[in-house]
Each structure stands twice: as structure tokens, then as C-alpha cells.
Amino acid sequence: LCKYYLDIMGTPRRYWFEVLSHYAEDQETKERLEYFGSAEGYLDVYDYCVKEKRSYLETLQDFEGVYIDVDRFLEVVPCLRPRLFSISSAPATDPRRLSITVGIVEFQTPYKRTRRGLCTDWLARLGPGTQLQVLLQDGGIQLPAPEVPILMIGPGTGIAPFRAFVQERCAAPS
């Protein structure tokens, strides 16, 4: 449940600390969690959590003596959101195969902790030729006829759709 459905590696918001404060066993931890959950503590939460990309799981490890009920944990930790990727292959090249072009997310936090993207790290660990079940959505971009020249500009789309467009054009009869 936690591994496949809950975003336990996501970065918690202030409300998480407010909830945890009710489960702290000692007063000092309770007060610190209440502060993190308050409007006054938002800059400290930003430094502790957001800049360092700390996860729900890590905050539970950092605050010893906090034992949250499973039911409450399941209510507060959000579900994993789908990761959407653009297809980078053209059906004209091979209608039985689909490829994506992915930049692997890996970076260092200000305190030199290595962080990796949840989905891209998982994808990077898959072996070549691994078959996956995927959900496809129409992208909405249609290429004009092969004789019509195109100028491709992709603010924020990455290179994947362009790779597919070039493959489609190369496979089209001249």
C-alpha cells in the first residue's frame, strides 16, 4: 500500500506536522511539531522540508516518539499522482513498440543529500526490454501533411514529441 499507492517519499506540508503533534509522546517534540504546523513556523518548515526534499517517511524517522495511527496516516499522506510522459516514437516506425525519452532526476540538496525522482529512478532501474502496462492519452498534436514544412518549438515539452515527429516524417513516403 505505501510503496505503490501513497506518496510517502513526497515532501510534507505544514498540516502534516500539525497532525503529528497530536501523536508526540514528549512535550518538547509536541511543541516543535506544533510550531512547524503553525503559520509562524513556515520558514523553518521550508528550510527543514522543502529545501532538503525531506519525505513523510524521513520526518517520521526524525521525530522519534511520534506514533501516528495507521488510519490517520492513510488519511493524511496523499496518494501517488500519475507521472505523465510524452511518447518519443512514431507508430509509422514500429506500431508494436512505444518509447519514452526521460531525463533521470538526480540532484544534491543544500546539505549534500542525494535525491532522485520517484518515477525516473524506478524507470532507470528497469532492465532493457522490460514490458510495462501503461495508460495512453491523446496528445492533441497532429502533424500537417508531409510536404508542409514545420517549425517545432516546445516550451516545456522536452525533446520526446520532436523525436516522434522526426521519426514520423522520415517514415512518410516522399
Side-chain angles (χ1 to χ4, degrees):
L1 181 69
C2 289
K3 184 176 181 180
Y4 295 110
Y5 297 101
L6 294 180
D7 194 8
I8 59 171
M9 297 309 292
T11 303
R13 303 292 178 238
R14 283 189 354 225
Y15 180 66
W16 169 248
F17 297 102
E18 181 184 328
V19 170
L20 286 186
S21 72
H22 298 285
Y23 296 92
E25 289 188 337
D26 69 85
Q27 191 60 31
E28 185 179 330
T29 302
K30 180 179 179 61
E31 288 172 3
R32 185 161 180 231
L33 289 166
E34 286 173 343
Y35 173 71
F36 273 11
S38 71
E40 296 81 30
Y42 84 95
L43 285 177
D44 289 323
V45 169
Y46 180 81
D47 286 341
Y48 168 74
C49 247
V50 180
K51 279 172 67 174
E52 280 299 299
K53 298 300 274 182
R54 273 196 179 80
S55 68
Y56 288 93
L57 195 57
E58 289 171 318
T59 58
L60 283 174
Q61 293 167 342
D62 287 350
F63 290 97
E64 294 177 16
V66 175
Y67 302 99
I68 186 170
D69 294 336
V70 172
D71 292 345
R72 191 68 173 126
F73 180 81
L74 295 175
E75 287 175 10
V76 179
V77 176
C79 293
L80 280 172
R81 294 182 322 262
R83 290 353 192 223
L84 305 178
F85 295 94
S86 295
I87 296 171
S88 63
S89 57
T93 306
D94 185 348
R96 298 169 299 129
R97 288 193 137 170
L98 178 138
S99 67
I100 58 176
T101 301
V102 178
I104 305 301
V105 175
E106 184 174 332
F107 61 94
Q108 296 279 319
T109 68
Y111 292 114
K112 306 295 182 221
R113 294 162 19 122
T114 301
R115 291 290 183 231
R116 292 177 177 84
L118 181 69
C119 189
T120 60
D121 185 55
W122 179 78
L123 286 170
R125 287 186 275 118
L126 296 176
T130 301
Q131 294 186 8
L132 304 172
Q133 287 187 336
V134 298
L135 174 67
L136 298 178
Q137 295 177 336
D138 286 333
I141 300 175
Q142 297 294 321
L143 283 176
E147 64 275 1
V148 176
I150 57 174
L151 172 66
M152 296 186 285
I153 300 171
T157 62
I159 196 166
F162 299 119
R163 184 176 179 266
F165 295 159
V166 169
Q167 285 181 1
E168 190 71 29
R169 280 286 170 101
C170 288
S174 303

